[in-house]
């Protein structure tokens, strides 16, 4: 079986949707004999109009939907219209959509308020045109369910695009290092608006070094006296070594949205203590159990930190890459019987 996976053009492989699709493609090929052609669409303009050339002879398409990545205003009208026409053009074609995002909301003084109705309509059209849909957050699943009939989604947190070790060592055997890992935007927030939280985390955890992993950005030489060592984008094996060798990983990300973060997934998969800068009043990623430590909140004991890292690792295992590849296989095969 051969499928086309559509991903946003210009999306970074590290911590981004393209990296997610590439990891999924590899696992689908190794374990299930499903080969993928990755096609990049969108960018600064609408992704529509290029679809005919992107899907020559394809019978099954897996769309990774991130509306703002396909259109600067989050309204990829051409892409959605072209996909619906493609799906309905020939009997037997199958469309599966993974909603990494659904639609934006916001106060009336922001553009997201005025664009939200269009974005909702496009999400509804796409969901109804798809044979199967899935998403990474319960809140996204509820948003999709409200869009109308045939919009019930499978909900599963994302997997780690930084690999999955067969076993992880305890925190006591690791160096007192803290990782800042991922794409440019999330790391820039760590050193910018969340720098105070990063410094607090280093002080509380006894961090002796911050290791920065990802595409080049302006990094400080030190954060509150703790040296920063920027390693840049590393090969996958070197990334895994860094993840397995550090005690904690810092992430400037809304806590309620952690299940959609491949960076958070990588921290959980490798047995680090996830450190998340954000409101302590937000619902935790696991629906109640502590899966991360928030700077400014009481610091657990050494045993408590190990228990937290172990809980995060256990939370991750049911939706590992292997498990999710099985789920995507089922979605792709079931799509043919959906109508």
């Amino acid at each position: 079986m051969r499928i086309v996976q559509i991903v946003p053009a210009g999306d970074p492989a590290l911590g981004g949707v393209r990296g997610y699709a590439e990891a999924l493609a590899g696992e689908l090929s190794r374990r299930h004999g499903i080969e993928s052609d990755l096609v990049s669409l969108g960018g600064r303009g609408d992704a529509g109009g290029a679809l005919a050339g992107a899907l020559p002879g394809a019978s099954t398409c897996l769309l990774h939907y991130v509306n703002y990545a396909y259109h600067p205003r989050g309204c990829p009208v051409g892409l959605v219209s072209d996909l619906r026409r493609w799906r309905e053009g020939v009997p037997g074609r199958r469309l599966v959509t993974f909603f990494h995002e659904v639609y934006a909301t916001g106060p009336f003084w922001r553009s997201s308020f005025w664009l939200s109705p269009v974005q909702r309509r496009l999400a509804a059209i796409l969901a109804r045109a798809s044979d199967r849909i899935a998403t990474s957050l319960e809140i996204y699943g509820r948003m999709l369910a409200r869009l109308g009939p045939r919009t019930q989604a499978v909900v599963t947190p994302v997997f780690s695009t930084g690999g999955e070790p067969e076993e992880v060592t305890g925190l006591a055997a690791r160096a007192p290092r803290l990782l800042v890992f991922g794409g440019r935007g999330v790391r820039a927030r760590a050193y910018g608006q969340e720098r105070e939280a990063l410094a607090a985390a280093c002080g509380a955890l006894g961090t002796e070094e911050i290791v920065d992993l990802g595409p080049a950005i302006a990094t400080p030489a030190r954060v509150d006296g703790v040296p920063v060592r920027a390693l840049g984008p590393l090969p996958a094996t070197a990334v895994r070594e860094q993840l397995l060798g550090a005690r904690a990983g810092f992430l400037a990300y809304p806590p309620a949205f952690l299940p959609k973060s491949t960076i958070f997934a990588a921290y959980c998969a490798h047995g680090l203590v996830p450190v998340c800068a954000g409101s302590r009043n937000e619902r935790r990623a696991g629906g109640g159990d502590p899966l991360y430590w928030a700077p400014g909140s009481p610091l657990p004991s050494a045993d408590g930190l190990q228990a937290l890292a172990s809980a995060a690792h256990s939370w991750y295992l049911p939706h590992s890459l292997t498990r999710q590849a099985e789920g995507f296989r089922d979605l792709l095969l079931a799509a043919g019987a959906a109508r």
Side-chain angles (χ1 to χ4, degrees), residues 317-332:
L317 293 177
H319 46 81
S320 65
L321 174 56
T322 299
R323 292 285 190 89
Q324 289 206 42
E326 293 173 355
F328 274 98
R329 174 204 61 192
D330 294 343
L331 286 172
L332 292 163

Side-chain angles (χ1 to χ4, degrees), residues 142-194:
R142 293 192 293 271
M143 290 166 68
L144 288 163
R146 290 195 294 266
L147 293 178
R150 292 178 21 83
T151 59
Q152 293 292 327
V154 173
V155 179
T156 179
V158 299
F159 51 77
S160 165
T161 56
E164 296 173 346
E166 293 185 4
E167 59 182 76
V168 298
T169 57
L171 299 179
R174 301 176 180 222
R177 289 197 296 265
L178 181 145
L179 298 187
V180 178
F181 171 57
R184 289 186 174 90
V186 69
R187 287 165 42 243
R189 288 196 298 274
Y191 298 117
Q193 65 195 64
E194 297 295 350

Side-chain angles (χ1 to χ4, degrees), residues 210-256:
I210 296 171
V211 173
D212 182 87
L213 297 175
I217 61 171
T219 58
R222 293 177 177 271
V223 172
D224 201 24
V226 179
V228 178
R229 181 160 56 103
L231 299 183
L234 297 178
T237 53
V239 169
R240 288 193 288 271
E241 288 177 4
Q242 292 296 328
L243 286 164
L244 283 170
R247 290 181 184 170
F250 186 88
L251 180 59
Y253 206 79

Side-chain angles (χ1 to χ4, degrees), residues 168 268-269 271 291 307-320 323:
V168 298
C268 294
L291 298 177
L308 191 156
S310 298
H313 183 253
S314 296
W315 169 82
Y316 175 80
L317 293 177
H319 46 81
S320 65
R323 292 285 190 89

